[in-house]
Amino acid sequence: MNYENFVKKIHGEFEMLAERKGLSGRVVIRDVVKNNNVHLKSISVVNDENQATPTIYLESYYEEFCQGKDISMIANEIFEMYAKNSYGLNFKMEDFLNYSYVKKKIAYKVINYDMNREMLKTVPHLHILDLAIVFNIVIEEDMYNSATALIKKEHLDMWNVSKREIEDVALSNTPKLMPPVIIRMEDMLAEMIINDISMNWDNEEDESADTGQENYIKEDCVYGENSKEKMPEYVREEIEKMKCDDKIDMYVLTNEKRINGAGTIFYDGLLKKFADKIEKDLIIIPSSIHEVILIPSDNGITDEEVNEMIDEVNENELETVEILSNHMYLYRRKEDRIYM
């Protein structure tokens, strides 16, 4: 089954589930243009209450289907995901019309300028270096979910506000809505591993809640028989051992929500304060739109090596929608300025 037929089949299955479970509204499939001109198919529900509803993207589910997963099971998972994420979305479309209401929710994020030229024609933005700062309304955003609305030029006309006002509001709001975090690379890796294991463990506990068996990490997780309480400590110890083999200090700069965190490089005074603390200029590696990596500039790595690493990560590790840039930047603390 090709992708188009898969989407049609999911549409039909979702409609049947919605009718069976009493979900009101019209099920719609949309072609959504995301960051870096990536086109994705989404499924959502338009309801009579004019309430904001979740948008579920279908590409990853098609991959599961191609790997042999039953399409009815996939449709059920999509419906459950939709139902789960519907709760807490208390944002109505009429709220979007009320500038005094949305003003406190306006924030900015950073994207690649050249990869988004077409979209930027209709979107108020700031062009800095080879990046663009764009503005959105943050409805709900964390490391697992993102509910935002991109602000377009037509919205400024609707609100009767200027681009400069949106810029000022976003520059003020964003550090408050998404406070910055600078964390050692090894601590970030430990956090990711611990979160991943904990999620897998929670799923296993749900499946075996009635077995009465003691909780241990599975042997194939490579952490041996460590209790859930001791697992984070064990992970951090192993990561620290890895650090002994790598003398380069690396720091991850993001925000507390771990999403769209690359924009923190433009938080007023943030890079200056950190660079002064370590008394070094900084190499900025644009690892994704969600975070950047900071390395002291006297690390012994050449610019060419850094750029090769960025190219490799962009090509092999990131989805196109997550790519920020294909080269490093340099922050000089004396000038308090970022250079390409």
Side-chain angles (χ1 to χ4, degrees):
M1 185 185 299
N2 64 26
Y3 183 57
E4 292 300 321
N5 288 333
F6 170 81
V7 170
K8 291 177 182 177
K9 182 68 173 176
I10 289 294
H11 188 192
E13 293 267 350
F14 194 101
E15 285 183 322
M16 286 190 292
L17 286 167
E19 182 178 355
R20 189 184 312 154
K21 300 190 178 185
L23 178 66
S24 62
R26 180 167 53 90
V27 181
V28 296
I29 299 291
R30 290 192 175 99
D31 182 49
V32 180
V33 181
K34 300 286 286 182
N35 186 46
N36 296 333
N37 200 34
V38 173
H39 290 250
L40 299 177
K41 292 288 187 183
S42 72
I43 190 166
S44 59
V45 177
V46 178
N47 57 46
D48 296 334
E49 292 82 17
N50 216 18
Q51 184 87 13
T53 60
T55 295
I56 311 294
Y57 297 101
L58 301 178
E59 277 70 14
S60 62
Y61 292 103
Y62 182 61
E63 291 178 8
E64 293 182 8
F65 171 75
C66 291
Q67 293 168 5
K69 196 166 187 176
D70 180 71
I71 195 164
S72 295
M73 184 179 294
I74 292 173
N76 271 284
E77 287 183 5
I78 294 172
F79 188 87
E80 289 173 6
M81 175 69 70
Y82 178 88
K84 177 182 177 181
N85 287 285
S86 293
Y87 297 107
L89 281 180
N90 297 317
F91 191 87
K92 294 186 177 181
M93 291 303 103
E94 51 261 37
D95 295 332
F96 195 84
L97 304 177
N98 184 354
Y99 179 68
S100 61
Y101 177 81
V102 300
K103 182 178 179 180
K104 60 182 179 289
K105 296 178 177 291
I106 294 175
Y108 73 79
K109 63 180 180 180
V110 175
I111 61 176
N112 185 278
Y113 184 86
D114 285 334
M115 295 179 74
N116 291 281
R117 280 182 178 273
E118 192 62 31
M119 181 266 288
L120 290 172
K121 292 177 182 178
T122 62
V123 171
H125 63 277
L126 294 173
H127 188 179
I128 302 178
L129 303 172
D130 59 346
L131 304 173
I133 290 178
V134 296
F135 312 99
N136 55 24
I137 299 171
V138 180
I139 302 170
E140 177 185 349
E141 202 161 62
D142 58 36
M143 68 180 70
Y144 303 113
N145 299 290
S146 176
T148 61
L150 183 66
I151 294 176
K152 299 184 178 182
K153 292 178 180 179
E154 63 195 58
H155 300 135
L156 304 191
D157 296 334
M158 179 179 68
W159 295 326
N160 193 29
V161 298
S162 66
K163 174 189 168 187
R164 180 58 184 269
E165 179 171 348
I166 295 296
E167 292 171 8
D168 291 343
V169 168
L171 291 174
S172 173
N173 283 352
T174 308
K176 301 170 189 173
L177 292 171
M178 289 171 279
V181 173
I182 298 178
I183 183 172
R184 298 186 311 159
M185 174 62 80
E186 51 267 36
D187 291 334
M188 176 63 87
L189 291 174
E191 177 184 292
M192 293 168 62
I193 292 170
I194 290 167
N195 286 340
D196 187 51
I197 294 174
S198 296
M199 288 178 65
N200 289 336
W201 202 335
D202 289 342
N203 290 336
E204 291 171 12
E205 285 180 339
D206 290 340
E207 294 173 1
S208 59
D210 298 326
T211 64
Q213 295 179 351
E214 194 171 356
N215 291 321
Y216 288 96
I217 298 176
K218 279 190 171 181
E219 192 172 329
D220 60 7
C221 287
V222 195
Y223 295 105
E225 292 188 349
N226 290 278
S227 68
K228 190 173 185 178
E229 291 73 23
K230 292 182 179 180
M231 179 268 294
E233 178 184 352
Y234 184 86
V235 170
R236 291 190 177 95
E237 288 175 356
E238 292 300 305
I239 294 292
E240 286 295 335
K241 291 176 185 177
M242 294 168 56
K243 173 63 179 174
C244 294
D245 299 327
D246 186 357
K247 302 301 182 184
I248 299 174
D249 291 321
M250 304 178 75
Y251 304 87
V252 178
L253 171 58
T254 182
N255 58 43
E256 287 184 355
K257 298 183 179 182
R258 306 295 197 268
I259 191 165
N260 291 323
T264 49
I265 62 173
F266 296 120
Y267 284 13
D268 187 34
L270 181 62
L271 289 179
K272 173 68 173 171
K273 183 178 180 180
F274 181 70
D276 284 346
K277 181 180 179 179
I278 66 173
E279 300 182 338
K280 303 280 177 61
D281 291 342
L282 301 170
I283 288 176
I284 302 173
I285 298 177
S287 50
S288 82
I289 59 172
H290 302 303
E291 74 286 311
V292 299
I293 297 172
L294 306 177
I295 304 177
S297 60
D298 61 348
N299 58 73
I301 304 178
T302 67
D303 294 355
E304 183 179 8
E305 289 173 324
V306 174
N307 288 332
E308 286 177 357
M309 179 179 67
I310 293 170
D311 282 339
E312 183 176 348
V313 170
N314 286 349
E315 183 174 346
N316 300 315
E317 303 296 332
L318 292 183
E319 299 289 341
T320 302
V321 73
E322 296 179 314
I323 293 173
L324 179 61
S325 180
N326 61 1
H327 63 84
M328 57 165 273
Y329 302 85
L330 178 65
Y331 173 77
R332 295 194 182 277
R333 62 192 183 107
K334 185 176 180 180
E335 294 92 349
D336 188 22
R337 184 174 176 181
I338 299 173
Y339 295 87
M340 290 175 57

